[in-house]
Amino acid sequence: MGFGNPPIPWRELERTLSGGPPVPPGDGGDSPAWSRKRQGYTPLYAPVSRPGSGTPTPYAELHAHSSFSFLDGASTPEELAEEAVRLGLTALALTDHDGFYGIVRFAEAAEVLGLPTVFGAELSLDVTIPATQSERMIAARVGTPDPAQRHLLVLARDPTGYAALARSISEAQLRGGSKGRPVYDLDELSANAAGHWLVLTGCRKGPVRAALTGADGPPGRFDLAAGRRAVDELVGRFGRENVVIELTHGLEPLTDDLNDALYFLADEAGLPCVATTAAHYAEPSRRSLATAMAAVRARSTLEDVDGWLPSWAGQHLRSGEEMAARFARWPGAVALAARLGTELAFPLRLIAPELPPYPVPDGHTEMTYLRELAYRGARERYGPREDATRWARREGFVDPYAQIEHELEIIEQLNFPGYFLVVWEIVEFCRSRGILCQGRGSAANSAVCFAIGITAVDAVRYGLLFERFLSPDRDGPPDIDLDIESDRREEAIQHVYERYDRRHTAQVANVITYRPKSAIRDVAKALGYSQGQQDAWSKMIEQGYYWAPPPVRAVDITPGSFSA
């Protein structure tokens, strides 16, 4: 060791000296086991810049799926944002299936890259819900190459529309009661939209395209009457000004005929047409990965699901110039996409939900009740104010009551009294039931948290800095972590549900990213290799850690190129 060595944590030094395995590097995912927080966005492939010569044709992609459309999208939100910038797109919408799982990462990357963001989701309608436990177990084990359901593509016009869409998705997930099987109520969706959504007619499973093509009609023959009924239903539910006919890029033989039929219906109904790619990956090289993921999703092999896969490798983002050339036959579709991208774009940071009012005793506001609890706790912890002041002067501490008043002023200034009361109530419930519960983390820096019993560390006695926990210069509410004994944690969770209602509470879910063993098993299975071969290859990965190679742009997983 020497003065020129880089800093190293003691636990890493001890592990190295004792011959233990090295700590694997964080991968920037949402839930790495070795990191408490996800790192901020930095471009994966530097530099990321817009086209340098000429004036690109304005175009915004309004229909794109990321890897948060699980086992469907084959590019991360960051990769989509980077490719959109390289292509010179004026905006990009992220429309993953039935959730906003990827939008935080998407918004962070887009803000760094200067890319306007549009937020939406593709809602899965008519999802089959297994009736019995045995059917649910079978559904969990057996995949379906092409699930029978309809899709509704919704874009939020503003933060109000975003909140309404999030609420609608949550209600559907609760109603379904089973992972990946939301149940939407069309009347509820119509009421929640209230003019704050823009509805696109969507992909081949969208209501209009599905009605046009039908299940029994001959190839190339479209049921215009059924298409009209589908268009009329959307207009009746969401309003004429909130419905747009979507023409999707495709290279299959009948795509142009289908787009002609959609364009005809739009003209007949007086609706605009917009061009999209319905992208499922950022660039062409991701197509191989997308097809392998489709096989994994279907719990099958590439050979078995080949008939359900697109016959062309084109579900990626495209430039305005390419889209303008492709959609020249349908004038205005590309220009409208650019205009809508500008109209619908807003930054995610504008969305700042507030806690509902905390029920306080009569004659109190949230702030006055928190103040009463804090001073009541101070008397129990420090004694009367005069005695506490003399003790502080004698021992060289800050006056506890003065510190508590300082903290209360900041809490009131930032309008967080309700947050402290919610946490205090959970702690009080646990103590009343004899459940071990303790606040931890930066909350230990707060004399208020100590006074009302959330933490057991005397921030005054130990001279802890309150501003490390809460400061006017920091965005967002403070972070108060509660440790509750594992054997009785469920009691506390159910209490929170009962007191605040399931629609006003939530549990944070980690998104587990692929690790090498699982990735090798699933891809080997998709490529048709035997169970024994899958096991043999996965066992070649050392237990506990692995070396991750630098990221590469092209992913080739065709059977001929795959090797151990």
Side-chain angles (χ1 to χ4, degrees):
M1 301 198 50
F3 290 106
N5 291 342
I8 178 173
W10 279 109
R11 64 175 178 272
E12 187 175 335
L13 176 62
E14 188 278 331
R15 183 183 292 108
T16 302
L17 294 176
S18 61
V23 178
D27 64 355
D30 280 74
S31 58
W34 50 84
S35 174
R36 186 169 181 269
K37 292 186 178 180
R38 178 172 56 84
Q39 298 299 315
Y41 166 75
T42 54
L44 187 58
Y45 306 109
V48 178
S49 59
R50 291 188 172 275
S53 60
T55 302
T57 301
Y59 174 66
E61 180 52 63
L62 301 178
H63 185 170
H65 296 275
S66 75
S67 53
F68 284 88
S69 287
F70 301 113
L71 293 178
D72 189 29
S75 292
T76 65
E78 295 90 341
E79 289 170 337
L80 289 170
E82 291 177 9
E83 185 65 13
V85 170
R86 290 191 194 92
L87 294 173
L89 302 190
T90 56
L92 177 63
L94 192 64
T95 56
D96 284 319
H97 291 294
D98 304 302
F100 288 146
Y101 314 110
I103 64 165
V104 172
R105 288 173 52 170
F106 171 59
E108 288 177 353
E111 184 174 18
V112 172
L113 298 170
L115 176 70
T117 49
V118 179
F119 305 108
E122 191 167 55
L123 310 183
S124 302
L125 309 180
D126 301 333
V127 175
T128 302
I129 303 298
T132 66
Q133 178 64 23
S134 61
E135 289 177 354
R136 283 193 288 270
M137 291 175 66
I138 293 173
R141 291 196 304 267
V142 180
T144 304
D146 192 18
Q149 56 187 236
R150 292 183 298 151
H151 292 165
L152 184 69
L153 189 70
V154 176
L155 302 177
R157 288 187 176 275
D158 48 39
T160 301
Y162 172 93
L165 182 54
R167 185 166 58 251
S168 299
I169 294 172
S170 297
E171 289 286 350
Q173 300 284 11
L174 284 171
R175 193 179 295 122
S178 180
K179 181 179 178 181
R181 291 180 171 83
V183 176
Y184 294 96
D185 182 287
L186 285 174
D187 293 333
E188 180 182 88
L189 291 178
S190 303
N192 289 347
H196 293 280
W197 294 353
L198 182 69
V199 175
L200 273 59
T201 54
C203 60
R204 64 185 179 87
K205 292 190 177 183
V208 177
R209 282 184 59 177
L212 273 176
T213 56
D216 303 320
R221 299 290 296 274
F222 303 111
D223 190 341
L224 292 177
R228 284 191 196 95
R229 289 193 295 270
V231 170
D232 291 341
E233 182 181 1
L234 287 176
V235 170
R237 288 190 177 279
F238 299 102
R240 186 172 304 278
E241 67 281 4
N242 297 316
V243 177
V244 176
I245 302 294
E246 180 178 351
L247 308 181
T248 303
H249 184 282
L251 299 178
E252 291 159 332
L254 300 178
T255 299
D256 286 355
D257 293 339
L258 177 60
N259 283 340
D260 283 341
L262 290 167
Y263 196 81
F264 172 79
L265 289 177
D267 183 65
E268 189 177 63
L271 296 175
C273 281
V274 66
T276 76
T277 63
H280 283 65
Y281 38 92
E283 55 186 347
S285 65
R286 285 287 183 178
R287 195 250 181 172
S288 296
L289 177 59
T291 56
M293 291 170 64
V296 172
R297 183 176 70 249
R299 295 176 173 83
S300 185
T301 65
L302 282 169
E303 182 177 358
D304 290 337
V305 301
D306 184 63
W308 285 275
L309 298 176
S311 58
W312 52 285
Q315 290 185 291
H316 57 84
L317 297 177
R318 296 171 185 270
S319 67
E321 290 78 6
E322 186 175 355
M323 292 295 285
R326 178 69 182 88
F327 285 86
R329 182 170 174 169
W330 305 282
V334 172
L336 179 63
R339 179 166 64 83
L340 288 175
T342 300
E343 292 178 1
L344 301 178
F346 60 89
L348 187 64
R349 63 177 176 272
L350 291 180
I351 301 168
E354 296 183 357
L355 286 173
Y358 183 84
V360 297
D362 292 339
H364 277 290
T365 65
E366 291 180 343
M367 193 62 225
T368 61
Y369 189 48
L370 177 62
R371 189 180 298 275
E372 178 180 305
L373 292 174
Y375 282 115
R376 184 192 306 168
R379 284 192 296 273
E380 295 175 358
R381 303 277 190 176
Y382 300 107
R385 183 159 195 163
E386 296 78 9
D387 294 346
T389 300
R390 285 195 296 270
W391 166 79
R393 289 174 179 171
R394 183 176 67 251
E395 301 295 333
F397 295 130
V398 174
D399 185 339
Y401 283 84
Q403 178 63 28
I404 288 173
E405 182 58 37
H406 165 68
E407 294 184 15
L408 289 172
E409 288 177 359
I410 294 180
I411 292 170
E412 183 174 18
Q413 176 186 342
L414 298 178
N415 194 30
F416 289 143
Y419 178 84
F420 283 79
L421 290 174
V422 168
V423 178
W424 166 80
E425 192 279 330
I426 296 172
V427 172
E428 286 299 300
F429 167 80
C430 291
R431 288 178 178 162
S432 69
R433 299 298 180 89
I435 302 172
L436 298 178
C437 176
Q438 181 62 65
R440 62 174 175 83
S442 61
N445 292 54
S446 168
V448 168
C449 287
F450 175 65
I452 64 178
I454 292 176
T455 62
V457 176
D458 188 345
V460 173
R461 180 180 294 274
Y462 291 102
L464 303 180
L465 181 64
F466 172 70
E467 282 69 19
R468 183 177 176 271
F469 167 61
L470 184 62
S471 167
D473 296 329
R474 295 178 60 185
D475 293 332
D479 181 16
I480 302 179
D481 299 318
L482 294 180
D483 283 336
I484 303 174
E485 63 172 303
S486 58
D487 290 346
R488 303 187 64 187
R489 189 176 299 146
E490 187 62 29
E491 294 179 47
I493 292 173
Q494 293 304 321
H495 167 73
V496 171
Y497 282 148
E498 292 171 6
R499 181 173 178 84
Y500 299 101
D501 191 273
R502 287 182 178 270
R503 285 163 178 76
H504 298 149
T505 56
Q507 291 194 42
V508 176
N510 288 336
V511 177
I512 305 302
T513 55
Y514 260 119
R515 298 298 182 243
K517 283 179 173 289
S518 298
I520 286 177
R521 284 182 179 276
D522 281 355
V523 172
K525 180 179 179 180
L527 294 174
Y529 289 100
S530 67
Q531 180 72 46
Q533 187 64 74
Q534 297 168 34
D535 292 341
W537 280 333
S538 68
K539 289 177 181 177
M540 296 176 68
I541 303 296
E542 294 185 54
Q543 294 287 343
Y545 67 97
Y546 65 96
W547 174 80
V552 294
R553 303 280 314 263
V555 178
D556 184 5
I557 55 171
T558 55
S561 65
F562 186 84
S563 64

